[in-house]
Amino acid sequence: MTELARNPRTMQKVREEIRSCVGNKKFAVEDDLPRLKYLKLVLKEVMRLHPPAVLLLPRETVGHFNLFGYDVDPKTRVHINVWAIGRDPSMWKDPEEFVPERFENSPIDYSGNHFELLPFGAGRRGCPGISMGMAMIELALTNVLHSFDWELPQGMTEGDVSMEEGAGLTIPKKVPLTLLPVTPFYKTDA
Ligand code: HEM
């Protein structure tokens, strides 16, 4: 929601997609999700810039190995900085820009097969809850955007929205997002 509040063009595009797919039903349901293609691009871009677990989970090596010429001893604590990978200019064009369209016609997804985008980790200790986690986020965001238009408080512009992050295993927003819900013009069938 914070990126959408800062990027009204994207907010409008994703809202139009949701409203044309969900129609005049009061709530979106899970069956609506497969048709929301642009929403999925938006969430990939969110996961690239704001992976909830920026260093994944701490892991420990069990044996010695050599990584790009570096010797790594057994019992070494390993952190994978997916926050930095998601903003690496050698992998992403204009990495600091929020551009969901970068994933259009791109094979990159977050299932752990593309090392540029690893919000759920990868391999045998990767997150087993990807499908459930993403379905919950998609459904919640879809309903929030379907039910209301959202406006910044009076006097605030997109540039005033804080992107500051706090610290933790998962990263919270430092400054809570404040938006005003506005009842949309259309009528639902409920
Ligand atoms: C957006 C939501 C979620 C995110 C971003 C997320 C992210 C992650 C990450 C980064 C890891 C560590 C992967 C690694 O070290 O390579 C992980 C592990 C794990 N996640 Fe998730 N997760 C999410 C939702 C869920 C859900 C909904 C469940 C369960 C229903 C779940 C269950 C687990 C479990 C059990 C592990 C440990 C796997 C292991 O160590 O073998 N996660 N998750």
Side-chain angles (χ1 to χ4, degrees):
M1 278 303 276
T2 307
E3 284 292 8
L4 294 178
R6 276 162 32 104
N7 294 278
R9 186 195 58 81
T10 307
M11 170 78 99
Q12 188 182 342
K13 200 168 161 182
V14 72
R15 191 168 55 206
E16 280 170 9
E17 177 185 69
I18 289 170
R19 291 192 183 159
S20 80
C21 288
V22 178
N24 65 350
K25 283 187 295 188
K26 188 167 171 65
F27 296 113
V29 293
E30 209 180 331
D31 284 349
D32 295 315
L33 300 180
R35 282 175 289 137
L36 299 172
K37 307 282 183 225
Y38 188 63
L39 177 84
K40 288 175 176 48
L41 305 188
V42 168
L43 289 175
K44 274 190 192 176
E45 184 68 336
V46 167
M47 288 293 179
R48 179 183 73 81
L49 283 168
H50 311 289
V54 288
L55 298 175
L56 300 183
L57 294 182
R59 303 291 183 185
E60 195 177 271
T61 57
V62 287
H64 170 270
F65 64 96
N66 187 284
L67 184 69
F68 299 121
Y70 292 93
D71 278 316
V72 182
D73 289 330
K75 298 191 86 53
T76 301
R77 176 72 57 87
V78 177
H79 298 274
I80 311 288
N81 190 342
V82 288
W83 186 93
I85 295 172
R87 292 166 187 250
D88 185 339
S90 71
M91 290 183 209
W92 302 99
K93 185 169 178 286
D94 301 325
E96 300 293 332
E97 303 292 315
F98 185 79
V99 186
E101 287 77 5
R102 71 173 78 239
F103 289 105
E104 249 167 16
N105 306 318
S106 158
I108 297 175
D109 66 20
Y110 38 66
S111 58
N113 295 316
H114 302 276
F115 290 170
E116 310 90 318
L117 188 67
L118 290 174
F120 295 94
R124 73 170 74 164
R125 308 308 306 197
C127 178
I130 300 183
S131 304
M132 183 179 170
M134 289 314 293
M136 283 170 11
I137 295 173
E138 285 179 21
L139 199 55
L141 184 60
T142 297
N143 276 305
V144 163
L145 294 176
H146 178 58
S147 300
F148 298 103
D149 294 343
W150 293 92
E151 285 179 0
L152 290 168
Q154 213 173 12
M156 242 180 115
T157 65
E158 287 87 38
D160 298 327
V161 177
S162 167
M163 297 304 289
E164 270 194 284
E165 296 174 339
L169 192 64
T170 57
I171 300 300
K173 273 178 67 52
K174 212 168 188 176
V175 181
L177 176 66
T178 306
L179 293 176
L180 305 176
V182 179
T183 309
F185 64 89
Y186 65 88
K187 291 257 177 292
T188 61
D189 61 4

